[in-house]
Short mmCIF file of all heavy atoms in Angstrom, two decimals:
data_model
loop_
_atom_site.label_atom_id
_atom_site.label_comp_id
_atom_site.label_asym_id
_atom_site.label_seq_id
_atom_site.Cartn_x
_atom_site.Cartn_y
_atom_site.Cartn_z
N MET Z 1 -47.51 178.64 72.48
CA MET Z 1 -48.80 177.96 72.45
C MET Z 1 -48.67 176.52 71.92
O MET Z 1 -49.35 175.62 72.41
CB MET Z 1 -49.79 178.74 71.57
CG MET Z 1 -50.10 180.15 72.07
SD MET Z 1 -50.74 180.18 73.75
CE MET Z 1 -52.32 179.37 73.51
N LYS Z 2 -47.81 176.33 70.94
CA LYS Z 2 -47.68 174.99 70.35
C LYS Z 2 -47.23 173.94 71.35
O LYS Z 2 -47.46 172.74 71.16
CB LYS Z 2 -46.73 175.03 69.16
CG LYS Z 2 -45.26 175.27 69.51
CD LYS Z 2 -44.39 175.27 68.28
CE LYS Z 2 -42.93 175.49 68.60
NZ LYS Z 2 -42.37 174.40 69.43
N ASN Z 3 -46.60 174.39 72.43
CA ASN Z 3 -46.10 173.44 73.42
C ASN Z 3 -47.20 172.85 74.29
O ASN Z 3 -47.01 171.80 74.91
CB ASN Z 3 -45.06 174.12 74.31
CG ASN Z 3 -43.82 174.54 73.54
OD1 ASN Z 3 -43.52 173.99 72.49
ND2 ASN Z 3 -43.11 175.53 74.05
N VAL Z 4 -48.34 173.55 74.38
CA VAL Z 4 -49.42 173.07 75.24
C VAL Z 4 -50.70 172.78 74.45
O VAL Z 4 -51.67 172.26 75.01
CB VAL Z 4 -49.75 174.10 76.35
CG1 VAL Z 4 -48.60 174.20 77.33
CG2 VAL Z 4 -50.07 175.47 75.75
N LEU Z 5 -50.71 173.11 73.17
CA LEU Z 5 -51.91 172.92 72.36
C LEU Z 5 -52.14 171.44 72.07
O LEU Z 5 -51.26 170.74 71.59
CB LEU Z 5 -51.76 173.69 71.05
CG LEU Z 5 -52.99 173.80 70.16
CD1 LEU Z 5 -54.11 174.53 70.88
CD2 LEU Z 5 -52.64 174.51 68.86
N LYS Z 6 -53.35 170.99 72.33
CA LYS Z 6 -53.69 169.58 72.12
C LYS Z 6 -54.57 169.40 70.89
O LYS Z 6 -54.37 168.48 70.10
CB LYS Z 6 -54.40 169.04 73.36
CG LYS Z 6 -54.82 167.58 73.26
CD LYS Z 6 -55.48 167.13 74.56
CE LYS Z 6 -55.87 165.66 74.50
NZ LYS Z 6 -56.53 165.22 75.76
N GLU Z 7 -55.55 170.27 70.73
CA GLU Z 7 -56.51 170.10 69.64
C GLU Z 7 -57.19 171.43 69.34
O GLU Z 7 -57.49 172.21 70.23
CB GLU Z 7 -57.58 169.08 70.05
CG GLU Z 7 -58.67 168.84 69.02
CD GLU Z 7 -59.72 167.87 69.54
OE1 GLU Z 7 -59.41 167.12 70.49
OE2 GLU Z 7 -60.82 167.87 68.98
N VAL Z 8 -57.42 171.69 68.06
CA VAL Z 8 -58.18 172.86 67.64
C VAL Z 8 -59.23 172.40 66.63
O VAL Z 8 -58.92 171.66 65.71
CB VAL Z 8 -57.28 173.92 66.97
CG1 VAL Z 8 -58.12 175.10 66.49
CG2 VAL Z 8 -56.21 174.41 67.93
N THR Z 9 -60.46 172.81 66.83
CA THR Z 9 -61.50 172.54 65.85
C THR Z 9 -61.81 173.84 65.14
O THR Z 9 -62.03 174.86 65.79
CB THR Z 9 -62.76 171.99 66.52
OG1 THR Z 9 -62.42 170.79 67.20
CG2 THR Z 9 -63.83 171.68 65.48
N VAL Z 10 -61.83 173.82 63.82
CA VAL Z 10 -61.96 175.06 63.06
C VAL Z 10 -63.20 175.07 62.19
O VAL Z 10 -63.74 174.03 61.82
CB VAL Z 10 -60.72 175.30 62.17
CG1 VAL Z 10 -59.46 175.29 62.99
CG2 VAL Z 10 -60.64 174.28 61.04
N LEU Z 11 -63.63 176.28 61.88
CA LEU Z 11 -64.69 176.50 60.90
C LEU Z 11 -64.06 177.22 59.73
O LEU Z 11 -63.51 178.31 59.89
CB LEU Z 11 -65.79 177.36 61.52
CG LEU Z 11 -66.95 177.74 60.60
CD1 LEU Z 11 -67.83 176.53 60.34
CD2 LEU Z 11 -67.76 178.87 61.22
N THR Z 12 -64.09 176.64 58.55
CA THR Z 12 -63.49 177.27 57.39
C THR Z 12 -64.32 178.46 56.95
O THR Z 12 -65.48 178.63 57.36
CB THR Z 12 -63.37 176.29 56.21
OG1 THR Z 12 -64.69 176.01 55.72
CG2 THR Z 12 -62.69 175.00 56.64
N LYS Z 13 -63.76 179.27 56.09
CA LYS Z 13 -64.48 180.45 55.62
C LYS Z 13 -65.69 180.08 54.78
O LYS Z 13 -66.58 180.91 54.58
CB LYS Z 13 -63.54 181.36 54.82
CG LYS Z 13 -62.95 180.72 53.58
CD LYS Z 13 -62.01 181.68 52.87
CE LYS Z 13 -61.43 181.06 51.61
NZ LYS Z 13 -60.54 182.00 50.89
N GLU Z 14 -65.75 178.83 54.31
CA GLU Z 14 -66.93 178.36 53.58
C GLU Z 14 -68.00 177.82 54.52
O GLU Z 14 -69.10 177.48 54.10
CB GLU Z 14 -66.54 177.26 52.58
CG GLU Z 14 -65.75 177.77 51.37
CD GLU Z 14 -64.28 177.96 51.70
OE1 GLU Z 14 -63.83 177.37 52.72
OE2 GLU Z 14 -63.60 178.69 50.97
N GLY Z 15 -67.67 177.67 55.81
CA GLY Z 15 -68.65 177.19 56.78
C GLY Z 15 -68.51 175.73 57.14
O GLY Z 15 -69.38 175.16 57.80
N GLU Z 16 -67.42 175.09 56.74
CA GLU Z 16 -67.21 173.67 57.04
C GLU Z 16 -66.46 173.52 58.36
O GLU Z 16 -65.45 174.17 58.59
CB GLU Z 16 -66.41 173.00 55.93
CG GLU Z 16 -66.16 171.52 56.16
CD GLU Z 16 -65.27 170.91 55.10
OE1 GLU Z 16 -64.80 171.65 54.21
OE2 GLU Z 16 -65.02 169.69 55.17
N VAL Z 17 -66.96 172.64 59.23
CA VAL Z 17 -66.32 172.38 60.52
C VAL Z 17 -65.27 171.29 60.35
O VAL Z 17 -65.57 170.21 59.81
CB VAL Z 17 -67.35 171.96 61.57
CG1 VAL Z 17 -66.65 171.62 62.89
CG2 VAL Z 17 -68.36 173.07 61.80
N LEU Z 18 -64.06 171.55 60.81
CA LEU Z 18 -62.96 170.59 60.74
C LEU Z 18 -62.48 170.30 62.15
O LEU Z 18 -62.06 171.20 62.86
CB LEU Z 18 -61.80 171.15 59.90
CG LEU Z 18 -62.13 171.60 58.48
CD1 LEU Z 18 -60.89 172.20 57.82
CD2 LEU Z 18 -62.65 170.43 57.66
N GLY Z 19 -62.52 169.04 62.56
CA GLY Z 19 -62.07 168.68 63.90
C GLY Z 19 -63.20 168.06 64.69
O GLY Z 19 -64.34 167.98 64.24
N ASN Z 20 -62.89 167.63 65.92
CA ASN Z 20 -63.85 166.87 66.71
C ASN Z 20 -64.33 167.58 67.97
O ASN Z 20 -65.11 167.02 68.73
CB ASN Z 20 -63.24 165.52 67.11
CG ASN Z 20 -62.88 164.69 65.90
OD1 ASN Z 20 -63.66 164.58 64.98
ND2 ASN Z 20 -61.68 164.12 65.91
N SER Z 21 -63.84 168.80 68.23
CA SER Z 21 -64.28 169.50 69.43
C SER Z 21 -65.74 169.92 69.29
O SER Z 21 -66.27 169.97 68.18
CB SER Z 21 -63.41 170.74 69.66
OG SER Z 21 -62.10 170.36 69.99
N PRO Z 22 -66.41 170.25 70.39
CA PRO Z 22 -67.82 170.64 70.32
C PRO Z 22 -68.02 172.01 69.71
O PRO Z 22 -69.14 172.47 69.55
CB PRO Z 22 -68.26 170.63 71.79
CG PRO Z 22 -67.01 170.86 72.56
CD PRO Z 22 -65.93 170.18 71.78
N SER Z 23 -66.96 172.71 69.39
CA SER Z 23 -67.07 174.03 68.78
C SER Z 23 -65.93 174.20 67.80
O SER Z 23 -65.44 173.22 67.27
CB SER Z 23 -67.05 175.08 69.88
OG SER Z 23 -67.64 176.26 69.45
N PHE Z 24 -65.49 175.40 67.53
CA PHE Z 24 -64.52 175.58 66.45
C PHE Z 24 -63.74 176.87 66.56
O PHE Z 24 -64.09 177.77 67.28
CB PHE Z 24 -65.27 175.60 65.10
CG PHE Z 24 -66.44 176.50 65.15
CD1 PHE Z 24 -66.28 177.86 65.01
CD2 PHE Z 24 -67.70 176.00 65.40
CE1 PHE Z 24 -67.37 178.70 65.10
CE2 PHE Z 24 -68.79 176.85 65.50
CZ PHE Z 24 -68.62 178.19 65.35
N VAL Z 25 -62.65 176.98 65.77
CA VAL Z 25 -61.89 178.23 65.59
C VAL Z 25 -62.21 178.72 64.20
O VAL Z 25 -61.96 178.02 63.27
CB VAL Z 25 -60.38 178.00 65.56
CG1 VAL Z 25 -59.66 179.27 65.22
CG2 VAL Z 25 -59.90 177.46 66.83
N VAL Z 26 -62.72 179.90 64.04
CA VAL Z 26 -63.03 180.38 62.69
C VAL Z 26 -61.77 180.90 62.05
O VAL Z 26 -60.88 181.34 62.73
CB VAL Z 26 -64.04 181.53 62.73
CG1 VAL Z 26 -64.49 181.85 61.33
CG2 VAL Z 26 -65.22 181.17 63.57
N ALA Z 27 -61.73 180.94 60.73
CA ALA Z 27 -60.48 181.25 60.07
C ALA Z 27 -60.30 182.66 59.57
O ALA Z 27 -61.26 183.35 59.36
CB ALA Z 27 -60.31 180.31 58.93
N LEU Z 28 -59.06 183.04 59.36
CA LEU Z 28 -58.69 184.37 58.87
C LEU Z 28 -58.17 184.24 57.45
O LEU Z 28 -57.42 183.34 57.16
CB LEU Z 28 -57.54 184.92 59.69
CG LEU Z 28 -57.84 185.86 60.82
CD1 LEU Z 28 -56.55 186.43 61.29
CD2 LEU Z 28 -58.78 186.95 60.44
N GLY Z 29 -58.52 185.17 56.62
CA GLY Z 29 -57.94 185.23 55.29
C GLY Z 29 -58.12 183.95 54.50
O GLY Z 29 -59.20 183.42 54.39
#
């Protein structure tokens, strides 16, 4: 995956959005 991954936008477990995409990847643990 790392070879084709360009950008990931995440939502932290506290609810903070990190990144610039219109949505997010929520976090584990």
Side-chain angles (χ1 to χ4, degrees):
M1 298 303 293
K2 69 180 181 63
N3 296 336
V4 292
L5 189 62
K6 180 178 182 181
E7 178 183 341
V8 177
T9 301
V10 304
L11 177 72
T12 69
K13 61 181 181 179
E14 289 80 19
E16 180 185 3
V17 177
L18 305 177
N20 299 315
S21 293
S23 203
F24 48 80
V25 174
V26 188
L28 263 190

